[in-house]
């Protein structure tokens, strides 16, 4: 069995509403049998990437650091992204609908995607079917940056799972991530998209962690495909 890797975890704190330290997520991972996790800051409002790397350095064999930017900050955002990629962050997390920009706005995001292409790093992007990060927005950036791997968090759920499946089948550099999606839609995705383009994550701390892990044990997939979804695909993308 391949090692299990959670591709979607927030660390740090978002005011008083949500938060967890690196040690706290590792404790959850241990209880659920998760080997590693991709971790990044909360991406709405004001945030810092620094705590993410601090947590990752405390447990480099467990936590994989991703950064985030607010592209409205323009040059400062691009400089921050380049600094992070130079420092060893393995990718970026973006939340267009949370920060008020279109994923397809290449005047705003093009320089960031170009940096990802240069550093061979992926982008995981909120993709819960909202207008600013709908499946058609992903299709647009995938075609303009075919050398960048894009991961659609939440796979278009609630209302755009069918469109997300179509876009994933048409774009080799697009992966569907299934955090917080009910089992019915997960099985729909598994039946329609090659297993090597599906990625598991939790969106912790916004879930009951062990339950989100156990959900996938009920999915309609072979043992080999389960291993790809639960860790093999994100490991391949990140070169782990």
């Amino acid at each position: 069995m391949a090692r299990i890797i959670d591709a979607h975890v927030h660390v740090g704190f978002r005011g008083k509403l949500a938060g967890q330290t690196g040690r706290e997520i590792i404790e959850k991972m241990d209880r659920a049998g998760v080997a590693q996790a991709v971790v990044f800051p909360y991406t709405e409002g004001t945030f810092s990437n620094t705590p993410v790397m601090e947590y990752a350095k405390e447990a480099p064999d467990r936590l994989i650091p991703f950064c985030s930017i607010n592209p409205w900050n323009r040059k400062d955002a691009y400089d921050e992204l380049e600094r992070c990629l130079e420092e060893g962050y393995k990718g970026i997390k973006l939340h267009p609908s949370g920060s008020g920009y279109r994923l397809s706005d290449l005047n705003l995001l093009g320089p960031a995607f170009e940096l990802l292409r240069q550093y061979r790093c992926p982008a995981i992007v909120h993709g819960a079917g909202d207008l600013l990060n709908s499946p058609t927005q992903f299709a647009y950036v995938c075609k303009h940056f075919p050398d960048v791997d894009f991961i659609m968090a939440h796979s278009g759920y609630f209302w755009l799972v069918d469109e997300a499946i179509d876009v994933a089948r048409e774009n080799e550099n697009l992966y569907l991530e299934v955090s917080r999606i009910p089992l019915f839609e997960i099985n729909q995705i598994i039946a329609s998209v090659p297993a090597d383009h599906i990625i598991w994550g939790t969106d912790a701390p916004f879930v009951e962690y062990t339950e989100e892990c156990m959900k996938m044990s009920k999915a309609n997939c072979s043992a080999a495909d389960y291993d790809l979804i639960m860790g093999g695909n994100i490991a391949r993308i990140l070169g782990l």
Side-chain angles (χ1 to χ4, degrees), residues 87-117:
E87 189 175 330
Y89 293 76
K90 301 302 182 182
I92 192 171
K93 167 67 188 302
L94 296 172
H95 200 311
S97 63
S99 299
Y101 58 86
R102 290 179 294 111
L103 179 60
S104 63
D105 185 351
L106 297 187
N107 289 325
L108 189 64
L109 289 167
F113 295 153
E114 180 60 27
L115 282 168
L116 295 179
R117 186 192 67 78

Side-chain angles (χ1 to χ4, degrees), residues 28-71:
K28 296 175 185 178
M29 292 161 60
D30 286 343
R31 289 194 295 269
V34 175
Q36 292 177 281
V38 170
V39 294
F40 37 74
Y42 300 91
T43 51
E44 304 91 343
T46 301
F47 58 86
S48 172
N49 292 305
T50 300
V52 175
M53 183 59 79
E54 291 174 349
Y55 294 139
K57 286 181 177 178
E58 291 175 358
D61 59 331
R62 305 297 303 279
L63 302 181
I64 304 164
F66 272 39
C67 64
S68 188
I69 60 169
N70 183 343

